[in-house]
Amino acid sequence: MLKKIIKGGHKKPSKSDGHDHGFGPPGSGPASNVVVNHASRPSHAPEGPHNGTMVVAPPPMNSIEILPHFRDVPVSERQHLFLRKLQVCCFQLDFSDTLRSVREKEIKRQTLLELVDFIQSGSGKITETCQDGMIRMISVNIFRCLPPAAYENTGQEVSDPEEEEPYLEPSWPHLQLVYELLLRYVVSSDTDTKVAKRYIDHCFVLKLLDLFDSEDPREREYLKTILHRIYGKFMVHRPFIRKAINNIFYRFVYETERHSGIGELLEILGSIINGFALPMKEEHKLFLVRALIPLHKPKPVSIYHQQLSYCIVQFVEKDYKLADTVIRGLLKFWPLTNCQKEVLYLGELEEVLEATQSAEFQRCIVPLFRQIARCLTSSHFQVAERALFLWNNEHIVSLIAQNRSEVLPIIFEALEKNIQSHWNQAVHGLTVNVRKMFMEMDAELFEECERQYEEKESRAKEVEEQREMTWKRLADVASQRGGDGMITV
């Protein structure tokens, strides 16, 4: 792990102004006032020793002393040396210029490596004073104003967020080691949660969650692992973490539609949902309805859809009675003009239906298959093809077979139109197979639907002929009148 860390580096120059800003260590201030903002959005948190913004100036040249290694001092002095090394790592250095403070950067990097190794080796329990100092040092380094994203600088909407080039944090060689130190501290068997919760408190957790909006995927990956470990180890924080993630989703869906870490937060939630006890609490069901299902609405849903789909399916597998709620929620946010999103939704729908029981399936047959019928006749072949693939799933076919008297009348017209006029040969062939499947299920029902369809087409033809005759009569009357009725001067 340490070899991998040593190799870490940055690939892009900083988008900030060259000064690193860090938040003070977590304290007892109100959690609701703690916000880590983008540089373009000023913080409204009151300044103070705990939750105010603190700027640490770069040290003068040669001011960082080189401290001895832990192995070179007696065991009794290691805790004191640990504190001195933490002080060295509190200096903030300018990474916008790679040639500036090279010596100081290397000393800090080596010191961080030693701290990580000391915690990982379990050489001994660190004192509460050392834990306090370590969390303060970590806070100074990682809690900072995130640089504005490209769309914040230009004010332009990017059509496809997946095509945006991620911003890579220039200070990552140091930042990664700080995150690694925090991770080792959280997962260490020597870390007593009763003591650690004084330092890793609600304020600290909120600041961690704000950092999920970082554009650097490496930072988000560390944050995901650390927050997941905190959730697992600090049971007292669990309701608070779920509520805080909830609030991030609300703001994303209903205000900004911009957040870099939705996928990572959903990955954490997927694991959390998997551990929900049954019967499921009302709080969790409300979270599904109010936060998870509306996440289908934002434009960049394709970026995090895989993680979102996993969470949704986990709910249905945990409690099959939620299937009707989920399916109707999907239909509510079904895209009207985005074919790629429709393909994603159909894939998710198949996974949900696979976990659906007959009673819940019957409750949503009509709206569900009306939407499927529209997908079957889509001129976009991938949408039509994906909808037809539903009949390749044995469980879904068994549900349809049990309720064929309701399903077939809804989709029969769509099947016939595909066979008669769909331009894509693959869609045409799949439609023929589905039609044949229904014929073998219930020949009598199929013939009845066919008869009704022919009658409907016949009536439609008669109406069209009547309309044409009416227009012809009007044209004849107009031609007979000639110039009658025209005003002459």
Side-chain angles (χ1 to χ4, degrees):
M1 173 65 76
L2 294 180
K3 289 181 180 178
K4 183 179 178 182
I5 292 169
I6 294 171
K7 293 180 182 177
H10 62 274
K11 298 180 181 179
K12 287 179 63 178
S14 172
K15 294 197 290 184
S16 64
D17 58 4
H19 297 283
D20 293 307
H21 301 278
F23 281 86
S28 58
S32 59
N33 291 332
V34 181
V35 181
V36 176
N37 293 284
H38 283 294
S40 58
R41 295 193 293 272
S43 170
H44 299 290
E47 292 186 6
H50 292 296
N51 55 3
T53 302
M54 176 172 63
V55 179
V56 181
M61 289 298 289
N62 303 319
S63 65
I64 298 183
E65 62 174 317
I66 300 176
L67 298 171
H69 295 292
F70 285 109
R71 64 176 179 270
D72 297 335
V73 298
V75 175
S76 58
E77 296 180 17
R78 287 180 183 175
Q79 298 288 341
H80 179 64
L81 180 60
F82 188 86
L83 284 171
R84 292 177 65 194
K85 287 182 181 289
L86 289 175
Q87 290 173 353
V88 168
C89 295
C90 282
F91 283 116
Q92 298 285 62
L93 301 168
D94 182 8
F95 281 83
S96 62
D97 184 355
T98 55
L99 300 178
R100 186 177 177 185
S101 305
V102 176
R103 174 182 171 276
E104 285 76 11
K105 288 174 184 175
E106 182 58 22
I107 292 173
K108 181 178 177 180
R109 191 181 71 85
Q110 291 293 341
T111 305
L112 284 167
L113 275 170
E114 288 180 46
L115 291 171
V116 172
D117 187 55
F118 184 78
I119 294 293
Q120 189 173 7
S121 64
S123 302
K125 273 193 173 184
I126 61 172
T127 64
E128 289 188 33
T129 304
C130 289
Q131 290 183 57
D132 183 27
M134 182 172 64
I135 296 300
R136 286 174 182 272
M137 184 277 287
I138 289 169
S139 299
V140 165
N141 279 278
I142 68 174
F143 297 143
R144 65 207 190 279
C145 286
L146 298 173
Y151 73 93
E152 289 181 294
N153 282 329
T154 62
Q156 296 178 351
E157 285 292 326
V158 180
S159 57
D160 187 0
E162 289 182 300
E163 294 181 0
E164 294 180 39
E165 185 180 352
Y167 165 72
L168 300 179
E169 175 62 51
S171 62
W172 186 245
H174 287 185
L175 206 56
Q176 181 182 12
L177 292 168
V178 177
Y179 276 122
E180 188 67 25
L181 179 64
L182 175 58
L183 177 60
R184 293 301 158 198
Y185 171 68
V186 171
V187 303
S188 173
S189 57
D190 293 327
T191 301
D192 185 351
T193 53
K194 291 180 181 179
V195 175
K197 72 180 182 182
R198 299 174 195 169
Y199 314 113
I200 299 181
D201 56 6
H202 286 180
C203 176
F204 187 88
V205 169
L206 266 182
K207 290 177 180 179
L208 275 183
L209 282 165
D210 283 325
L211 288 173
F212 272 86
D213 203 13
S214 168
E215 286 189 72
D216 195 323
R218 302 168 301 181
E219 182 169 14
R220 296 198 305 271
E221 192 67 22
Y222 260 104
L223 287 164
K224 177 185 74 175
T225 305
I226 290 167
L227 186 65
H228 191 195
R229 295 288 189 164
I230 290 173
Y231 187 92
K233 191 159 191 169
F234 297 83
M235 293 186 68
V236 67
H237 291 335
R238 290 182 181 182
F240 179 80
I241 291 173
R242 292 197 301 268
K243 186 176 180 181
I245 293 175
N246 223 2
N247 292 335
I248 291 173
F249 288 166
Y250 287 153
R251 188 175 180 210
F252 172 69
V253 171
Y254 299 109
E255 294 181 23
T256 64
E257 289 200 357
R258 282 286 184 171
H259 196 285
S260 300
I262 298 298
E264 284 80 6
L265 290 171
L266 285 169
E267 281 188 53
I268 296 171
L269 282 169
S271 179
I272 292 172
I273 294 165
N274 195 32
F276 282 167
L278 295 175
M280 200 175 291
K281 292 180 182 177
E282 194 63 27
E283 168 204 345
H284 302 327
K285 295 178 183 178
L286 286 174
F287 170 70
L288 168 68
V289 173
R290 294 178 180 177
L292 279 188
I293 292 177
L295 278 173
H296 290 86
K297 178 187 174 186
K299 293 177 184 177
V301 64
S302 59
I303 297 174
Y304 56 82
H305 183 265
Q306 183 179 354
Q307 296 93 327
L308 175 61
S309 178
Y310 178 76
C311 290
I312 295 287
V313 173
Q314 284 282 303
F315 266 101
V316 180
E317 289 179 347
K318 279 278 180 182
D319 186 353
Y320 65 89
K321 292 180 181 178
L322 292 171
D324 177 51
T325 302
V326 168
I327 291 170
R328 289 181 183 274
L330 273 174
L331 296 177
K332 178 182 178 181
F333 294 106
W334 201 273
L336 299 176
T337 57
N338 191 324
C339 296
Q340 295 304 322
K341 280 176 72 173
E342 279 197 274
V343 173
L344 292 176
Y345 280 38
L346 285 164
E348 182 178 353
L349 182 62
E350 180 175 353
E351 291 187 63
V352 172
L353 287 172
E354 202 163 6
T356 302
Q357 302 300 316
S358 183
E360 282 62 45
F361 182 77
Q362 289 171 0
R363 292 195 186 101
C364 58
I365 282 177
V366 174
L368 172 61
F369 280 91
R370 280 178 179 168
Q371 182 58 60
I372 290 174
R374 286 191 284 271
C375 292
L376 290 173
T377 55
S378 172
S379 57
H380 194 292
F381 80 96
Q382 288 179 329
V383 175
E385 192 174 58
R386 191 64 188 83
L388 287 161
F389 282 160
L390 292 173
W391 275 265
N392 289 344
N393 188 298
E394 291 183 10
H395 180 69
I396 296 175
V397 170
S398 69
L399 290 173
I400 291 172
Q402 293 168 31
N403 301 276
R404 58 186 178 275
S405 59
E406 293 182 68
V407 173
L408 185 56
I410 297 173
I411 67 166
F412 189 87
E413 184 176 346
L415 295 175
E416 290 299 310
K417 283 184 177 179
N418 270 7
I419 290 173
Q420 292 171 15
S421 58
H422 202 284
W423 64 272
N424 186 272
Q425 286 301 313
V427 170
H428 185 275
L430 289 167
T431 305
V432 170
N433 292 339
V434 171
R435 188 176 184 272
K436 184 180 178 183
M437 193 181 296
F438 275 110
M439 196 183 300
E440 292 172 352
M441 273 184 201
D442 193 331
E444 187 177 337
L445 174 64
F446 186 88
E447 289 172 4
E448 176 62 22
C449 290
E450 193 172 34
R451 184 185 63 77
Q452 291 178 3
Y453 173 75
E454 288 173 356
E455 287 179 2
K456 183 181 177 181
E457 286 294 296
S458 179
R459 287 195 300 272
K461 189 176 180 181
E462 288 175 5
V463 169
E464 183 62 30
E465 289 175 353
Q466 187 67 35
R467 185 182 292 113
E468 288 181 4
M469 287 177 63
T470 302
W471 278 109
K472 189 174 183 301
R473 284 199 300 271
L474 287 171
D476 291 343
V477 170
S479 63
Q480 286 174 6
R481 287 185 178 181
D484 291 355
M486 293 183 66
I487 299 174
T488 57
V489 181

